[in-house]
Amino acid sequence: VFEEVKGVKIEIVGSGPQEDCFRRKAKRFGKKITFHGFVENQDAIHDIVKRWTIGLAPYQPVPSNESYWGDPSKIKVYISVGVPVITTDVSYMASEIKKYHAGIIIDYYNHDEFISAIKTIIKNKNYFRENALRLAKKYDYRKLYQKIFAI
């Protein structure tokens, strides 16, 4: 991606069983990749993410992936701070992202689609950012609570 899209920097929030492997592989890219590790404080996560141009959530389309039925909290964090998303058609949020133009849905196995999505969002950053914020308003808990308690 660094050769195809100049100036890209990657920040990774979170950890997992492959974190050490990813850190070793990323060393050759120097300061272009930053690992924040596990961040417990949600406000700190929002402070990191809101600086981003794009949030990545490329869920692998395999039957055992819990993202098919689980809550896409990562995507919700991204859109809550106006960060457009590149994701796959795994989470139910993919259809919302597509409908609101709050990001781009890609084929998990298609590298060219991934690069094209990055370039498209960078070129139209304000358009996608505004749409991500518009989608986030749909999930604003204050509005949802009013509807729930009005029943």
Side-chain angles (χ1 to χ4, degrees):
V1 81
F2 297 112
E3 298 84 30
E4 295 164 298
V5 185
K6 300 298 179 208
V8 167
K9 292 182 182 177
I10 297 173
E11 291 187 77
I12 300 168
V13 175
S15 62
Q18 295 183 311
E19 181 181 0
D20 289 336
C21 175
F22 291 143
R23 283 181 183 269
R24 282 192 302 277
K25 288 182 178 187
K27 279 186 181 180
R28 68 184 178 115
F29 298 108
K31 295 186 182 213
K32 291 181 180 182
I33 300 178
T34 301
F35 287 86
H36 294 278
F38 175 73
V39 179
E40 186 171 350
N41 183 296
Q42 290 298 308
D43 291 333
I45 292 171
H46 284 106
D47 287 342
I48 294 166
V49 172
K50 70 183 174 188
R51 299 188 313 251
W52 297 355
T53 301
I54 301 169
L56 300 178
Y59 301 116
Q60 190 174 16
V62 294
S64 61
N65 190 336
E66 65 274 359
S67 297
Y68 278 110
W69 59 85
D71 183 62
S73 57
K74 182 187 325 185
I75 291 175
K76 289 179 179 178
V77 167
Y78 297 158
I79 65 167
S80 74
V81 292
V83 174
V85 182
I86 294 176
T87 190
T88 51
D89 194 14
V90 171
S91 162
Y92 72 86
M93 283 298 290
S95 62
E96 292 287 283
I97 290 164
K98 187 175 183 178
K99 176 180 171 184
Y100 280 79
H101 303 274
I104 298 175
I105 311 308
I106 61 166
D107 179 332
Y108 181 86
Y109 301 102
N110 189 322
H111 176 78
D112 292 335
E113 278 188 22
F114 175 63
I115 297 301
S116 176
I118 292 171
K119 290 178 178 180
T120 298
I121 291 175
I122 289 171
K123 190 183 294 185
N124 304 287
K125 184 173 29 178
N126 290 335
Y127 170 78
F128 283 102
R129 183 173 285 281
E130 288 170 12
N131 290 335
L133 286 170
R134 191 167 53 92
L135 175 56
K137 288 179 183 175
K138 179 179 178 180
Y139 292 95
D140 183 337
Y141 73 91
R142 292 169 292 228
K143 290 180 183 177
L144 292 174
Y145 284 0
Q146 286 176 1
K147 290 178 185 175
I148 291 169
F149 293 115
I151 297 175

